[in-house]
Amino acid sequence: MAIKETMTINVGPQHPSTHGVLQLILELDGETVVKAVPHVGFLHRGVEKLAEYRSYHKALPLTDRLDYLAPMSNNLGYVLAVEKLLGITDALPQRAKVIRVMLAEITRIKSHLVWLATHALDIGAMTVFLYCFREREMIMDLYEKVSGARMTSNYFRVGGLSLDLPAGFEQDVKAFIDAMPGHIDTYEGLLTGNAIWQRRTKGIGHISAAAAIDIGLTGPALRCSGVDWDLRRDNPYSGYEEYDFKVITREGGDTFDRYTARLDEMRESCKIIQQCLDRLEAGPVLADVPWVCLPPKKDVLTSIEALIHQFKIVTEGFKPEPGEIYQGIEAPKGELGYYLISDGSANPYRMKIRPPSFVNLQALPQMIEGALLADVIATIGTLDIVLGEIDR
Amino acid sequence: MPEMLSLSNDPILFIAVMLAKVLTVFIVVILIVAYATYAERKIIGHMQTRLGPTMTGPLGLLQPIADGLKLFFKEDIIPSQASKVAFVLAPMMILVPAFITVAVIPFGRDIVVGGYTVPLQIADLNVGALYIVAMAGLGVYGIILAGWASNNKYSLIGGVRAAAQVISYELAAGLSIVAVFMLAETLSLRGIVAAQSGSILNWYVFSQPLAFCLFFITSIAEINRTPFDLPEAETELVSGFCTEYSSMKYALFFMAEYANMVVIAALISTLFLGGPAGPFPGAINLLLKIFAFMFLFIWMRATFPRVRYDQLMFMGWKVFLPLALLNIVITGVVVIL
């Protein structure tokens, strides 16, 4: 009688391919995974609790640091949630809404670039990694131009934007979206037709539509299992209903499908950004709601009322009516939701974040059980998780 | 041609010439190994929109020396739970076979020294090709030993992968070059080079294209280069079999990897591309061919993803082995006819 012995192997939190500090306890039979248990919590900073001790404006920078690969999407979700809580969603100027959509889509490309870079590197295609980071650098420059920071943007404000776009920004965005489809073709040239890439991704990390819905998968991972669900279209926010874009879906539910779908999403994002550029009209970027939005700096220096408003908002913040709301957005990785409870004070009573990565990670054990060790790495890559928002 | 220099007709001259040859070859290989690391970083760097090393010396040319010095002065850690003898032995076991393989590679036409003919080859073994295959097989013991002795699960998986890989590939590699021996009717590398002399069309790459392709691919698998770098698959196994190694022991693994690249490039050049034949003086032709192959290896590393363990075994057993056998049959039929 053969004695079967399994080996328990600890992958992470210090491992090159766990995309941060994810720990996986794998039980291996040879190289086949018998059981996989993900452990999270190594990057816990208590963002939700910290927000309870800050006024609504001051909690905004905390959200940059959730999914640090897509900071503007996090900001967008949060400001939309606060605006909904305040009931000022309709007061937003058109220009602010268009710029928000534009930057959210640029952020989607940015996030997908890092996903492709690390996913390809995990499977051994080193060059794609550097190509993607070259293009990401262009987005970093765009970020720096609008917000002054390359990663922690903190650019959106409750009621609009902190500043208008800098001069010449439209041309930079135009240059970027003109160049991007060609770059995506370059990545495809290196990977899509490659026999090794196909063998490493086709049929790997499969998840069915029913299982995906049971777990609560969202984003590209859900759409590639054949479920046509995208909050931008099905529950629009920030004026997404006015844009013309395709929701990319696939039927196979494997790693290769998720790869091609995300590349197509990047192409769609370029189209949305083009539409944003076409719609961009001069106008204010901050809503005219004096008890929430800071007055223009010029007025603060010349008018006493504006100075008092500024002082009140900065020192005290604004106080929404007691109540609770949920606002979900289609972040690059899936549905990012903010659940806010107000008790009538200037600080949120509770801020619950629904991070897409945290929910998507639950699918990992059932996607990799029975697969090989190398597939585990490919599957972590295809789920596109970021520990910053899993652990919060 | 004068008489061949041997131990019997002029022992002192023979030993002196032999030492000179050994020293030359050793130094050349060491230099290639050192600067292959530099070339790899530079070439891959430029392929990936980077520059590679630029700061150490002019154009970063002193980088290999700086790396060597750094590794030399690093603390040499032997894990407390490791099997010490095997742990120390493993890096040597992997480096020595890589270097001694070079002994049978002919690197030029015969020259005349002191009235005797001297072949530009350290040792002309009558089973030269077999010796190379044997040494290549020996090198993998170092990897398995390193993986086992480290007492680390990642290393162990790396070592086991290396063992599985070498079994799957050595057979196909060995069988693919049998066709070359059938055409050359000798196992001596000197003889194989002689059989390809004359015209460029006599090179076996033209008469044995299938064998060439098979041997090229299986060789990459044998020296654990991308896309077959499974034993040290960095993103899966941290660093595979050499995870626990540091300091000079790690440097030895590193050198062995590049030495193996040089050996395989030299071997393919000898078996399929006429060895030192070409428009320049013999050794330069061989070096050019070696560099061309090394560039190809580096290029592949910048381009391909890594194959999976079971896919590699599948290719070795179910694709390459039957193809190699088929090639032998076809060659046999052609030779008899």
Side-chain angles (χ1 to χ4, degrees):
Chain A
M1 195 185 82
I3 300 170
K4 268 211 155 173
E5 214 178 310
T6 56
M7 175 164 83
T8 307
I9 189 167
N10 177 36
V11 180
Q14 302 100 337
H15 184 280
S17 302
T18 50
H19 293 211
V21 284
L22 172 69
Q23 183 184 30
L24 272 181
I25 309 287
L26 295 180
E27 215 175 296
L28 292 181
D29 175 16
E31 285 219 14
T32 311
V33 178
V34 182
K35 198 172 163 221
V37 184
H39 286 230
V40 298
F42 291 94
L43 201 60
H44 181 68
R45 292 146 299 169
V47 167
E48 291 177 359
K49 191 70 186 166
L50 285 170
E52 293 172 16
Y53 295 91
R54 276 156 181 74
S55 64
Y56 286 92
H57 265 312
K58 290 173 187 167
L60 178 61
L62 294 173
T63 62
D64 289 335
R65 288 141 176 93
L66 292 171
D67 175 359
Y68 40 75
L69 302 175
M72 293 242 194
S73 293
N74 304 333
N75 292 165
L76 179 62
Y78 177 72
V79 294
L80 287 174
V82 179
E83 282 158 9
K84 200 168 174 183
L85 187 66
L86 292 164
I88 60 165
T89 311
D90 297 330
L92 272 170
Q94 179 65 11
R95 184 174 170 85
K97 280 171 69 178
V98 173
I99 292 175
R100 279 180 180 184
V101 169
M102 181 169 80
L103 288 169
E105 291 306 316
I106 289 178
T107 302
R108 188 179 312 279
I109 298 178
K110 183 184 183 195
S111 168
H112 281 3
L113 279 176
V114 177
W115 154 78
L116 178 63
T118 49
H119 186 39
L121 185 68
D122 288 349
I123 298 185
M126 183 166 50
T127 303
V128 178
F129 176 82
L130 286 130
Y131 284 1
C132 288
F133 269 69
R134 177 185 62 189
E135 274 72 82
R136 181 168 177 260
E137 202 57 34
M138 295 167 77
I139 300 183
M140 293 287 211
D141 289 343
L142 294 178
Y143 261 56
E144 199 174 343
K145 281 197 177 113
V146 292
S147 68
R150 284 158 54 83
M151 280 181 82
T152 48
S153 53
N154 192 25
Y155 176 61
F156 302 150
R157 288 289 179 276
V158 178
L161 309 170
S162 63
L163 290 165
D164 204 347
L165 295 179
F169 187 74
E170 289 92 335
Q171 285 77 22
D172 293 336
V173 173
K174 181 78 185 129
F176 172 72
I177 56 168
D178 285 345
M180 199 58 212
H183 291 309
I184 299 171
D185 292 342
T186 309
Y187 316 144
E188 287 229 65
L190 272 166
L191 297 175
T192 309
N194 186 310
I196 300 175
W197 179 261
Q198 291 192 358
R199 277 163 173 256
R200 285 300 306 276
T201 53
K202 279 194 175 161
I204 304 300
H206 177 267
I207 188 149
S208 67
I213 292 172
D214 281 351
I215 291 167
L217 277 186
T218 46
L222 174 71
R223 289 193 285 275
C224 290
S225 293
V227 184
D228 191 5
W229 176 253
D230 189 322
L231 285 180
R232 288 177 294 173
R233 184 199 59 200
D234 300 320
N235 191 7
Y237 51 90
S238 198
Y240 261 111
E241 63 276 14
E242 298 162 21
Y243 297 87
D244 171 35
F245 62 96
K246 277 206 297 271
V247 173
I248 309 293
T249 55
R250 293 284 186 279
E251 295 302 317
D254 64 3
T255 302
F256 187 75
D257 277 348
R258 286 186 284 268
Y259 155 75
T260 56
R262 284 200 180 97
L263 289 184
D264 284 349
E265 279 195 0
M266 285 201 255
R267 293 196 175 96
E268 282 303 311
S269 290
C270 286
K271 287 181 198 157
I272 299 178
I273 296 168
Q274 179 60 54
Q275 294 172 41
C276 291
L277 287 176
D278 297 341
R279 267 154 218 250
L280 218 48
E281 285 163 4
V285 291
L286 208 52
D288 187 18
V289 187
W291 57 286
V292 173
C293 305
L294 288 176
K297 191 70 186 173
K298 186 164 64 58
D299 294 354
V300 176
L301 296 175
T302 52
S303 126
I304 187 68
E305 289 83 1
L307 182 65
I308 291 170
H309 269 307
Q310 155 126 351
F311 183 77
K312 289 281 279 182
I313 293 170
V314 170
T315 53
E316 209 178 66
F318 47 81
K319 294 174 179 167
E321 292 293 306
E324 48 193 83
I325 57 98
Y326 174 81
Q327 172 69 46
I329 66 160
E330 189 70 31
K333 295 174 175 66
E335 178 177 344
L336 171 67
Y338 287 88
Y339 187 81
L340 286 174
I341 302 179
S342 165
D343 58 356
S345 72
N347 300 352
Y349 176 77
R350 175 84 171 94
M351 175 170 84
K352 168 79 180 85
I353 302 165
R354 183 219 188 263
S357 298
F358 180 70
V359 182
N360 291 0
L361 179 65
Q362 294 180 88
L364 185 68
Q366 79 180 71
M367 281 162 95
I368 59 177
E369 266 158 35
L372 294 170
L373 182 58
D375 297 335
V376 174
I377 306 300
T379 311
I380 295 176
T382 191
L383 274 175
D384 193 17
I385 50 168
V386 159
L387 273 291
E389 71 174 3
I390 289 179
D391 295 340
R392 309 198 281 298
Chain B
M1 256 331 201
E3 194 188 348
M4 187 77 86
L5 180 67
S6 70
L7 203 54
S8 47
N9 49 28
D10 193 338
I12 294 171
L13 185 64
F14 178 79
I15 290 170
V17 168
M18 193 52 102
L19 277 178
K21 282 196 288 192
V22 169
L23 218 59
T24 316
V25 169
F26 186 70
I27 289 171
V28 167
V29 172
I30 284 274
L31 275 179
I32 298 179
V33 165
Y35 277 89
T37 63
Y38 172 78
E40 170 145 34
R41 291 172 67 175
K42 270 287 185 196
I43 293 168
I44 291 194
H46 281 275
M47 284 174 176
Q48 296 176 336
T49 69
R50 298 181 288 125
L51 292 175
T54 55
M55 302 305 280
T56 326
L59 297 172
L61 274 168
L62 295 178
Q63 189 66 43
I65 296 162
D67 284 344
L69 274 178
K70 184 198 77 173
L71 282 170
F72 190 75
F73 286 114
K74 286 269 175 190
E75 187 186 357
D76 188 11
I77 300 165
I78 300 179
S80 58
Q81 298 302 307
S83 170
K84 293 204 176 45
V85 177
F87 190 82
V88 175
L89 207 60
M92 303 178 202
M93 278 191 64
I94 188 168
L95 189 63
V96 170
F99 271 100
I100 55 178
T101 319
V102 191
V104 291
I105 307 274
F107 52 92
R109 291 182 203 88
D110 296 352
I111 54 168
V112 177
V113 176
Y116 296 103
T117 304
V118 176
L120 282 185
Q121 181 184 20
I122 292 170
D124 180 22
L125 297 183
N126 54 0
V127 289
L130 214 54
Y131 165 82
I132 286 181
V133 173
M135 284 303 140
L138 211 54
V140 80
Y141 282 95
I143 298 184
I144 300 169
L145 207 58
W148 176 78
S150 301
N151 196 15
N152 172 318
K153 286 169 183 170
Y154 289 114
S155 302
L156 184 64
I157 295 176
V160 172
R161 279 184 175 188
Q165 188 166 329
V166 87
I167 298 169
S168 323
Y169 269 75
E170 203 141 67
L171 218 52
L175 286 176
S176 65
I177 49 174
V178 165
V180 170
F181 309 148
M182 289 163 76
L183 290 184
E185 296 177 0
T186 173
L187 279 175
S188 149
L189 290 182
R190 196 169 135 84
I192 291 171
V193 169
Q196 296 179 74
S197 62
S199 148
I200 192 170
L201 292 175
N202 290 348
W203 291 3
Y204 286 142
V205 66
F206 298 113
S207 48
Q208 288 290 347
L210 182 60
F212 172 74
C213 294
L214 285 176
F215 190 67
F216 180 71
I217 298 171
T218 48
S219 300
I220 299 167
E222 276 212 38
I223 59 176
N224 301 329
R225 288 283 302 181
T226 311
F228 306 110
D229 56 341
L230 300 174
E232 50 177 299
E234 191 183 303
T235 48
E236 292 159 27
L237 300 181
V238 189
S239 205
F241 62 91
C242 51
T243 304
E244 294 287 354
Y245 281 87
S246 56
S247 183
M248 269 321 270
K249 291 201 192 68
Y250 175 73
L252 293 183
F253 280 117
F254 208 67
M255 279 164 73
E257 184 186 333
Y258 285 89
N260 275 323
M261 272 167 75
V262 179
V263 169
I264 288 295
L267 190 62
I268 300 176
S269 311
T270 308
L271 290 176
F272 293 98
L273 296 176
F280 304 108
I284 294 179
N285 291 324
L286 185 64
L287 281 179
L288 286 177
K289 288 170 191 169
I290 291 177
F291 294 155
F293 275 112
M294 296 195 53
F295 180 78
L296 202 56
F297 292 149
I298 292 170
W299 191 4
M300 289 173 73
R301 182 168 169 215
T303 310
F304 286 131
R306 188 182 303 113
V307 300
R308 210 174 57 197
Y309 173 64
D310 60 320
Q311 292 165 349
L312 177 123
M313 307 267 282
F314 177 87
M315 272 156 63
W317 288 108
K318 295 193 176 161
V319 181
F320 292 145
L321 189 62
L323 278 179
L325 288 171
L326 182 73
N327 192 43
I328 291 174
V329 172
I330 295 172
T331 311
V333 171
V334 172
V335 166
I336 288 170
L337 291 178

